[in-house]
Amino acid sequence: MVPPIVTTIQEIRAVTDAVRRQGQTIGFVPTMGALHEGHASLIRAARAASDYVVVSIFVNPIQFGPHEDYAKYPRTLDADQWVCAEAGADVIFAPRVEEMYPPHFYSSVEVARLGDHLCGASRPGHFRGVCTVVMKLFNIIRPDIAHFGAKDYQQARIITQMVRDLNMPVRIAIEPTVREADGLALSSRNRYLNPAERAVAPRIQQALQKIAQRVVAGEVDVVRLESALEAELKAIPGARVDYARIVDAEFLQPLVRIDRPAVIAVAVFLGTTRLIDNWLIGDPASW
Ligand code: AMP
């Protein structure tokens, strides 16, 4: 079945209220569309965990900076509907911007501290925009479980913290990063890459792996590891490093030595396309 597209808050509430009244559980996958196999894996995880699956497709203007790619972000709703159908979604919520942000919209949600570094530092206001839209979507859909990708590790951590801090009645499930055969993490932005950029893009993940191997081999000095990581990334033709950091996996703060679960996180521009990826060291299951 091709899942119907619902565009108003009133309509999606009517749908999800009816599902809940029947005693069914709701799984939710928030996305910005341009869906790929990474999104499909989240939808399949939701399909397996819940009775009814809602996918939202909304390019959220308030999480983009003034010079970022909001206007040119890919919008492929027809193709997205098929990805949702194949992965087992029951309904798509694709509101217009005015539906989510009517005139006189003044509120926002911010998680302190976890956004101090990595993308939070490079993209001021980004996670405030993400938290605000995710909280709105949770309040509209009221899911039992919401599924997020580990590819956006800082985002997943911040959402988990928001839900915990604000006692929001939803469980956050974090699903593994889906990669191309050559290791490149799937991203809606990969379609911006020209053939030369696409050819070298897997080296981002190779750099992460090399550094992770050095940790496994016993290197724990973060300054040394970060400079080796930066050197690996700078050696990629056409690459400009936005950040290359190793932070603790729980609160995303800088480390001196790797003495607890950590995440190696990078953002790299290839031409004008900004790609992010990360690699976990140790088990952050203690969250
Ligand atoms: P986006 O549409 O890019 O905002 O992403 C929507 C959701 O899909 C987020 O939870 C992302 O972390 C997740 N996602 C994006 N790319 C991947 C991937 N390659 N593997 C797993 N999840 C992903």
Side-chain angles (χ1 to χ4, degrees):
M1 187 199 77
V2 179
I5 297 175
V6 168
T7 60
T8 68
I9 293 168
Q10 196 183 359
E11 256 182 300
I12 193 70
R13 277 230 171 103
V15 169
T16 51
D17 285 350
V19 167
R20 245 187 319 275
R21 269 198 303 276
Q22 288 166 12
Q24 295 194 318
T25 58
I26 297 174
F28 177 44
V29 179
T31 81
M32 297 206 300
L35 300 184
H36 50 64
E37 191 50 37
H39 301 111
S41 75
L42 301 187
I43 299 169
R44 282 194 289 269
R47 171 81 282 152
S50 299
D51 299 321
Y52 191 87
V53 175
V54 181
V55 175
S56 66
I57 296 178
F58 180 62
V59 185
N60 176 34
I62 68 168
Q63 72 185 67
F64 288 79
H67 305 296
E68 293 182 352
D69 56 345
Y70 174 67
K72 77 160 190 173
Y73 197 84
R75 289 159 170 90
T76 60
L77 191 56
D78 289 345
D80 291 349
Q81 202 173 5
W82 289 105
V83 174
C84 289
E86 289 200 345
D90 292 300
V91 68
I92 297 168
F93 178 50
R96 290 155 56 91
V97 171
E98 312 82 69
E99 182 75 2
M100 293 295 277
Y101 302 115
H104 306 294
F105 181 91
Y106 296 136
S107 302
S108 64
V109 186
E110 182 142 13
V111 174
R113 205 162 157 79
L114 271 65
D116 288 351
H117 303 284
L118 314 180
C119 290
S122 300
R123 305 181 68 186
H126 170 66
F127 287 118
R128 189 188 316 123
V130 169
C131 287
T132 303
V133 80
V134 169
M135 176 142 181
K136 279 173 70 72
L137 290 166
F138 285 178
N139 286 338
I140 292 164
I141 289 155
R142 294 204 279 144
D144 295 279
I145 310 179
H147 300 260
F148 290 83
K151 187 211 158 226
D152 299 271
Y153 184 86
Q154 188 173 26
Q155 168 175 282
R157 234 343 254 124
I158 287 176
I159 297 292
T160 304
Q161 189 72 31
M162 172 181 82
V163 162
R164 186 196 294 170
D165 287 350
L166 302 180
N167 307 101
M168 297 166 71
V170 57
R171 189 162 80 74
I172 303 300
I174 300 176
E175 314 296 347
T177 300
V178 176
R179 298 177 181 279
E180 301 280 8
D182 60 14
L184 175 63
L186 294 192
S187 164
S188 303
R189 291 187 170 98
N190 289 353
R191 69 187 70 196
Y192 300 151
L193 300 172
N194 68 31
E197 291 161 352
R198 175 63 189 82
V200 298
R203 289 178 57 178
I204 297 171
Q205 186 248 10
Q206 289 161 13
L208 292 170
Q209 277 197 9
K210 269 193 196 168
I211 300 307
Q213 279 160 11
R214 280 180 63 157
V215 177
V216 171
E219 173 72 87
V220 294
D221 185 290
V222 170
V223 171
R224 276 213 289 272
L225 289 164
E226 283 184 344
S227 59
L229 175 60
E230 192 162 343
E232 290 285 344
L233 294 171
K234 281 185 171 161
I236 302 173
R240 185 164 65 78
V241 179
D242 178 6
Y243 64 76
R245 301 298 308 274
I246 301 175
V247 295
D248 88 90
E250 191 174 13
F251 297 114
L252 311 180
Q253 297 301 308
L255 288 172
V256 177
R257 293 165 53 80
I258 299 195
D259 53 6
R260 68 198 80 181
V263 59
I264 314 172
V266 300
V268 177
F269 282 95
L270 288 180
T272 55
T273 306
R274 185 174 176 277
L275 300 178
I276 61 170
D277 203 346
N278 67 78
W279 203 265
L280 273 173
I281 304 169
D283 176 17
S286 53
W287 294 356

